[in-house]
PDB file of all heavy atoms in Angstrom:
ATOM      1  N   VAL A  79     -32.541  17.981 -34.839  1.00  0.00           N
ATOM      2  CA  VAL A  79     -31.067  18.002 -34.778  1.00  0.00           C
ATOM      3  C   VAL A  79     -30.670  19.259 -34.147  1.00  0.00           C
ATOM      4  O   VAL A  79     -31.507  19.921 -33.382  1.00  0.00           O
ATOM      5  CB  VAL A  79     -30.435  17.723 -36.072  1.00  0.00           C
ATOM      6  CG1 VAL A  79     -30.628  16.231 -36.471  1.00  0.00           C
ATOM      7  CG2 VAL A  79     -30.879  18.624 -37.188  1.00  0.00           C
ATOM      8  N   SER A  80     -29.560  19.874 -34.434  1.00  0.00           N
ATOM      9  CA  SER A  80     -29.021  21.007 -33.679  1.00  0.00           C
ATOM     10  C   SER A  80     -29.946  22.273 -33.825  1.00  0.00           C
ATOM     11  O   SER A  80     -30.070  22.815 -34.866  1.00  0.00           O
ATOM     12  CB  SER A  80     -27.635  21.332 -34.090  1.00  0.00           C
ATOM     13  OG  SER A  80     -26.759  20.253 -33.826  1.00  0.00           O
ATOM     14  N   ILE A  81     -30.483  22.715 -32.655  1.00  0.00           N
ATOM     15  CA  ILE A  81     -31.271  23.910 -32.503  1.00  0.00           C
ATOM     16  C   ILE A  81     -30.381  25.013 -32.094  1.00  0.00           C
ATOM     17  O   ILE A  81     -29.515  24.916 -31.195  1.00  0.00           O
ATOM     18  CB  ILE A  81     -32.385  23.750 -31.543  1.00  0.00           C
ATOM     19  CG1 ILE A  81     -33.373  22.694 -32.044  1.00  0.00           C
ATOM     20  CG2 ILE A  81     -33.093  25.007 -31.213  1.00  0.00           C
ATOM     21  CD1 ILE A  81     -34.371  22.210 -30.932  1.00  0.00           C
ATOM     22  N   HIS A  82     -30.477  26.202 -32.847  1.00  0.00           N
ATOM     23  CA  HIS A  82     -29.502  27.312 -32.554  1.00  0.00           C
ATOM     24  C   HIS A  82     -30.218  28.378 -31.762  1.00  0.00           C
ATOM     25  O   HIS A  82     -31.087  29.085 -32.189  1.00  0.00           O
ATOM     26  CB  HIS A  82     -29.119  27.934 -33.969  1.00  0.00           C
ATOM     27  CG  HIS A  82     -28.426  26.894 -34.847  1.00  0.00           C
ATOM     28  ND1 HIS A  82     -28.306  27.106 -36.218  1.00  0.00           N
ATOM     29  CD2 HIS A  82     -27.817  25.709 -34.582  1.00  0.00           C
ATOM     30  CE1 HIS A  82     -27.647  26.074 -36.787  1.00  0.00           C
ATOM     31  NE2 HIS A  82     -27.355  25.208 -35.782  1.00  0.00           N
ATOM     32  N   LEU A  83     -29.834  28.482 -30.532  1.00  0.00           N
ATOM     33  CA  LEU A  83     -30.372  29.424 -29.614  1.00  0.00           C
ATOM     34  C   LEU A  83     -29.808  30.846 -29.915  1.00  0.00           C
ATOM     35  O   LEU A  83     -28.647  30.931 -30.240  1.00  0.00           O
ATOM     36  CB  LEU A  83     -30.169  29.062 -28.183  1.00  0.00           C
ATOM     37  CG  LEU A  83     -30.871  29.779 -27.097  1.00  0.00           C
ATOM     38  CD1 LEU A  83     -32.365  29.706 -27.236  1.00  0.00           C
ATOM     39  CD2 LEU A  83     -30.523  29.286 -25.732  1.00  0.00           C
ATOM     40  N   ILE A  89     -37.017  29.781 -23.764  1.00  0.00           N
ATOM     41  CA  ILE A  89     -37.610  28.576 -24.207  1.00  0.00           C
ATOM     42  C   ILE A  89     -38.437  27.990 -23.027  1.00  0.00           C
ATOM     43  O   ILE A  89     -37.966  27.634 -22.064  1.00  0.00           O
ATOM     44  CB  ILE A  89     -36.480  27.530 -24.555  1.00  0.00           C
ATOM     45  CG1 ILE A  89     -35.622  28.061 -25.693  1.00  0.00           C
ATOM     46  CG2 ILE A  89     -37.092  26.148 -24.824  1.00  0.00           C
ATOM     47  CD1 ILE A  89     -34.718  27.099 -26.309  1.00  0.00           C
ATOM     48  N   ILE A  97     -38.961  18.234 -26.809  1.00  0.00           N
ATOM     49  CA  ILE A  97     -37.998  18.347 -27.877  1.00  0.00           C
ATOM     50  C   ILE A  97     -37.092  17.099 -27.776  1.00  0.00           C
ATOM     51  O   ILE A  97     -36.516  16.832 -26.736  1.00  0.00           O
ATOM     52  CB  ILE A  97     -37.081  19.604 -27.776  1.00  0.00           C
ATOM     53  CG1 ILE A  97     -37.996  20.835 -27.888  1.00  0.00           C
ATOM     54  CG2 ILE A  97     -36.012  19.610 -28.834  1.00  0.00           C
ATOM     55  CD1 ILE A  97     -37.221  22.154 -27.577  1.00  0.00           C
ATOM     56  N   PHE A 104     -26.522  16.051 -36.637  1.00  0.00           N
ATOM     57  CA  PHE A 104     -26.237  17.216 -35.762  1.00  0.00           C
ATOM     58  C   PHE A 104     -25.033  18.055 -36.324  1.00  0.00           C
ATOM     59  O   PHE A 104     -24.199  17.574 -37.160  1.00  0.00           O
ATOM     60  CB  PHE A 104     -25.944  16.759 -34.389  1.00  0.00           C
ATOM     61  CG  PHE A 104     -27.086  16.149 -33.675  1.00  0.00           C
ATOM     62  CD1 PHE A 104     -27.284  14.764 -33.793  1.00  0.00           C
ATOM     63  CD2 PHE A 104     -27.957  16.882 -32.982  1.00  0.00           C
ATOM     64  CE1 PHE A 104     -28.401  14.179 -33.145  1.00  0.00           C
ATOM     65  CE2 PHE A 104     -29.048  16.329 -32.296  1.00  0.00           C
ATOM     66  CZ  PHE A 104     -29.277  15.033 -32.426  1.00  0.00           C
ATOM     67  N   PHE A 123     -18.890  22.928 -28.356  1.00  0.00           N
ATOM     68  CA  PHE A 123     -20.299  23.311 -27.964  1.00  0.00           C
ATOM     69  C   PHE A 123     -21.264  23.058 -29.014  1.00  0.00           C
ATOM     70  O   PHE A 123     -22.511  22.936 -28.723  1.00  0.00           O
ATOM     71  CB  PHE A 123     -20.258  24.746 -27.534  1.00  0.00           C
ATOM     72  CG  PHE A 123     -19.312  25.063 -26.396  1.00  0.00           C
ATOM     73  CD1 PHE A 123     -18.008  25.502 -26.630  1.00  0.00           C
ATOM     74  CD2 PHE A 123     -19.707  24.831 -25.074  1.00  0.00           C
ATOM     75  CE1 PHE A 123     -17.144  25.726 -25.553  1.00  0.00           C
ATOM     76  CE2 PHE A 123     -18.884  25.087 -23.976  1.00  0.00           C
ATOM     77  CZ  PHE A 123     -17.563  25.502 -24.228  1.00  0.00           C
ATOM     78  N   ALA A 126     -24.506  19.425 -30.288  1.00  0.00           N
ATOM     79  CA  ALA A 126     -25.473  19.389 -29.242  1.00  0.00           C
ATOM     80  C   ALA A 126     -26.885  19.478 -29.823  1.00  0.00           C
ATOM     81  O   ALA A 126     -27.042  19.905 -30.945  1.00  0.00           O
ATOM     82  CB  ALA A 126     -25.271  20.516 -28.268  1.00  0.00           C
ATOM     83  N   LEU A 127     -27.867  19.004 -29.049  1.00  0.00           N
ATOM     84  CA  LEU A 127     -29.253  19.120 -29.464  1.00  0.00           C
ATOM     85  C   LEU A 127     -29.645  20.607 -29.455  1.00  0.00           C
ATOM     86  O   LEU A 127     -30.335  21.041 -30.426  1.00  0.00           O
ATOM     87  CB  LEU A 127     -30.145  18.339 -28.506  1.00  0.00           C
ATOM     88  CG  LEU A 127     -31.691  18.405 -28.736  1.00  0.00           C
ATOM     89  CD1 LEU A 127     -32.092  18.068 -30.163  1.00  0.00           C
ATOM     90  CD2 LEU A 127     -32.428  17.550 -27.686  1.00  0.00           C
ATOM     91  N   ILE A 128     -29.264  21.349 -28.448  1.00  0.00           N
ATOM     92  CA  ILE A 128     -29.538  22.820 -28.439  1.00  0.00           C
ATOM     93  C   ILE A 128     -28.230  23.504 -28.041  1.00  0.00           C
ATOM     94  O   ILE A 128     -27.657  23.120 -26.970  1.00  0.00           O
ATOM     95  CB  ILE A 128     -30.645  23.104 -27.391  1.00  0.00           C
ATOM     96  CG1 ILE A 128     -31.925  22.409 -27.718  1.00  0.00           C
ATOM     97  CG2 ILE A 128     -30.867  24.650 -27.303  1.00  0.00           C
ATOM     98  CD1 ILE A 128     -32.971  22.570 -26.632  1.00  0.00           C
ATOM     99  N   TRP A 129     -27.822  24.453 -28.829  1.00  0.00           N
ATOM    100  CA  TRP A 129     -26.575  25.184 -28.450  1.00  0.00           C
ATOM    101  C   TRP A 129     -26.727  26.660 -28.786  1.00  0.00           C
ATOM    102  O   TRP A 129     -27.465  27.041 -29.642  1.00  0.00           O
ATOM    103  CB  TRP A 129     -25.343  24.556 -29.152  1.00  0.00           C
ATOM    104  CG  TRP A 129     -25.266  24.709 -30.623  1.00  0.00           C
ATOM    105  CD1 TRP A 129     -25.596  23.819 -31.576  1.00  0.00           C
ATOM    106  CD2 TRP A 129     -24.616  25.852 -31.338  1.00  0.00           C
ATOM    107  NE1 TRP A 129     -25.298  24.297 -32.824  1.00  0.00           N
ATOM    108  CE2 TRP A 129     -24.737  25.527 -32.725  1.00  0.00           C
ATOM    109  CE3 TRP A 129     -24.090  27.041 -30.944  1.00  0.00           C
ATOM    110  CZ2 TRP A 129     -24.260  26.422 -33.710  1.00  0.00           C
ATOM    111  CZ3 TRP A 129     -23.649  27.901 -31.946  1.00  0.00           C
ATOM    112  CH2 TRP A 129     -23.664  27.616 -33.281  1.00  0.00           C
ATOM    113  N   GLY A 130     -25.871  27.470 -28.092  1.00  0.00           N
ATOM    114  CA  GLY A 130     -25.788  28.873 -28.388  1.00  0.00           C
ATOM    115  C   GLY A 130     -24.570  29.393 -27.710  1.00  0.00           C
ATOM    116  O   GLY A 130     -24.032  28.889 -26.735  1.00  0.00           O
ATOM    117  N   PHE A 138     -35.103  28.803 -20.329  1.00  0.00           N
ATOM    118  CA  PHE A 138     -35.809  27.562 -20.599  1.00  0.00           C
ATOM    119  C   PHE A 138     -36.806  27.470 -19.487  1.00  0.00           C
ATOM    120  O   PHE A 138     -36.408  27.229 -18.312  1.00  0.00           O
ATOM    121  CB  PHE A 138     -34.848  26.393 -20.636  1.00  0.00           C
ATOM    122  CG  PHE A 138     -33.832  26.425 -21.687  1.00  0.00           C
ATOM    123  CD1 PHE A 138     -32.721  27.185 -21.586  1.00  0.00           C
ATOM    124  CD2 PHE A 138     -33.948  25.618 -22.799  1.00  0.00           C
ATOM    125  CE1 PHE A 138     -31.743  27.196 -22.580  1.00  0.00           C
ATOM    126  CE2 PHE A 138     -32.954  25.616 -23.801  1.00  0.00           C
ATOM    127  CZ  PHE A 138     -31.864  26.410 -23.691  1.00  0.00           C
ATOM    128  N   ILE A 144     -36.818  18.081 -22.494  1.00  0.00           N
ATOM    129  CA  ILE A 144     -35.782  17.989 -23.553  1.00  0.00           C
ATOM    130  C   ILE A 144     -35.190  16.583 -23.364  1.00  0.00           C
ATOM    131  O   ILE A 144     -34.656  16.262 -22.333  1.00  0.00           O
ATOM    132  CB  ILE A 144     -34.659  19.015 -23.406  1.00  0.00           C
ATOM    133  CG1 ILE A 144     -35.251  20.449 -23.572  1.00  0.00           C
ATOM    134  CG2 ILE A 144     -33.587  18.792 -24.426  1.00  0.00           C
ATOM    135  CD1 ILE A 144     -34.299  21.558 -23.214  1.00  0.00           C
ATOM    136  N   LYS A 162     -24.387  16.256 -26.249  1.00  0.00           N
ATOM    137  CA  LYS A 162     -24.953  17.200 -25.192  1.00  0.00           C
ATOM    138  C   LYS A 162     -26.405  17.449 -25.428  1.00  0.00           C
ATOM    139  O   LYS A 162     -26.819  17.598 -26.688  1.00  0.00           O
ATOM    140  CB  LYS A 162     -24.186  18.529 -25.201  1.00  0.00           C
ATOM    141  CG  LYS A 162     -22.657  18.364 -25.121  1.00  0.00           C
ATOM    142  CD  LYS A 162     -21.948  19.635 -25.485  1.00  0.00           C
ATOM    143  CE  LYS A 162     -20.422  19.539 -25.424  1.00  0.00           C
ATOM    144  NZ  LYS A 162     -19.881  18.692 -26.569  1.00  0.00           N
ATOM    145  N   ALA A 163     -27.176  17.574 -24.447  1.00  0.00           N
ATOM    146  CA  ALA A 163     -28.559  18.078 -24.619  1.00  0.00           C
ATOM    147  C   ALA A 163     -28.586  19.544 -24.776  1.00  0.00           C
ATOM    148  O   ALA A 163     -29.168  20.031 -25.783  1.00  0.00           O
ATOM    149  CB  ALA A 163     -29.393  17.619 -23.413  1.00  0.00           C
ATOM    150  N   VAL A 164     -28.023  20.314 -23.876  1.00  0.00           N
ATOM    151  CA  VAL A 164     -27.999  21.851 -23.949  1.00  0.00           C
ATOM    152  C   VAL A 164     -26.533  22.233 -23.678  1.00  0.00           C
ATOM    153  O   VAL A 164     -25.914  21.853 -22.701  1.00  0.00           O
ATOM    154  CB  VAL A 164     -28.914  22.424 -22.854  1.00  0.00           C
ATOM    155  CG1 VAL A 164     -28.761  23.943 -22.945  1.00  0.00           C
ATOM    156  CG2 VAL A 164     -30.313  22.001 -23.059  1.00  0.00           C
ATOM    157  N   SER A 165     -26.070  23.023 -24.659  1.00  0.00           N
ATOM    158  CA  SER A 165     -24.678  23.449 -24.617  1.00  0.00           C
ATOM    159  C   SER A 165     -24.608  24.978 -24.792  1.00  0.00           C
ATOM    160  O   SER A 165     -25.029  25.470 -25.860  1.00  0.00           O
ATOM    161  CB  SER A 165     -23.925  22.710 -25.702  1.00  0.00           C
ATOM    162  OG  SER A 165     -22.550  23.189 -25.766  1.00  0.00           O
ATOM    163  N   LEU A 166     -24.069  25.725 -23.833  1.00  0.00           N
ATOM    164  CA  LEU A 166     -24.104  27.158 -23.870  1.00  0.00           C
ATOM    165  C   LEU A 166     -22.724  27.727 -23.484  1.00  0.00           C
ATOM    166  O   LEU A 166     -22.138  27.322 -22.509  1.00  0.00           O
ATOM    167  CB  LEU A 166     -25.176  27.741 -22.904  1.00  0.00           C
ATOM    168  CG  LEU A 166     -26.638  27.202 -23.081  1.00  0.00           C
ATOM    169  CD1 LEU A 166     -27.498  27.679 -21.986  1.00  0.00           C
ATOM    170  CD2 LEU A 166     -27.177  27.752 -24.451  1.00  0.00           C
TER     171      LEU A 166
END
Side-chain angles (χ1 to χ4, degrees):
V79 291
S80 296
I81 295 169
H82 302 162
L83 191 60
I89 297 189
I97 298 174
F104 294 92
F123 300 94
L127 174 56
I128 302 173
W129 69 264
F138 297 78
I144 298 170
K162 308 165 182 71
V164 178
S165 176
L166 303 170

